[in-house]
Amino acid sequence: QVQLVESAGGLVQAGDSLRLSCAASGGFFSRLVMAWFRQPPGKEREFVAGMSRSADSTYHADSVKGRFTISRDNAKNTIYLQMNRLKPEDTAVYYCAADVSYRVSTRDHDYDYWGQGTQVTVSS
């Protein structure tokens, strides 16, 4: 149904910035709550940031608050994750996620649609 395609991640140094994007197919974007999750090596998937359907509410995990910013462009059916002042502990596979809902959830099982994941590696 809904397909999410993420941009490539990359290898960066600590303190650098990187922006990820996630494009949704099917013209459903305005109906979707969107979020970013990540899975560090050897760890469980964790919530990073989310945005409501109307973009009037955002939520950022404490670990990234003040450094990462989620945004969406409904005209392009795309969400972004702007990552600033990256740290080695930010190294993970990053996934975008979507769900037909009205509120952002921090739980991965609340999202029905997922991007393919992209590797972000932050070196010391």
Side-chain angles (χ1 to χ4, degrees), residues 34-48:
M34 303 293 295
W36 290 95
F37 288 78
R38 68 185 183 186
Q39 187 167 20
K43 297 182 179 180
E44 298 295 321
R45 182 181 289 169
E46 64 184 23
F47 177 82
V48 176

Side-chain angles (χ1 to χ4, degrees), residues 20-79:
L20 303 179
S21 65
C22 175
S25 66
F28 290 96
F29 188 73
S30 63
R31 299 168 56 188
L32 301 173
V33 170
M34 303 293 295
W36 290 95
F37 288 78
R38 68 185 183 186
Q39 187 167 20
K43 297 182 179 180
E44 298 295 321
R45 182 181 289 169
E46 64 184 23
F47 177 82
V48 176
M51 178 170 283
S52 65
R53 295 168 65 181
S54 60
D56 61 343
S57 298
T58 61
Y59 186 95
H60 296 80
D62 289 341
S63 59
V64 306
K65 193 173 299 181
R67 298 188 299 118
F68 292 10
T69 303
I70 187 173
S71 62
R72 69 192 296 164
D73 186 337
N74 288 342
K76 298 181 179 179
N77 295 339
T78 300
I79 62 166

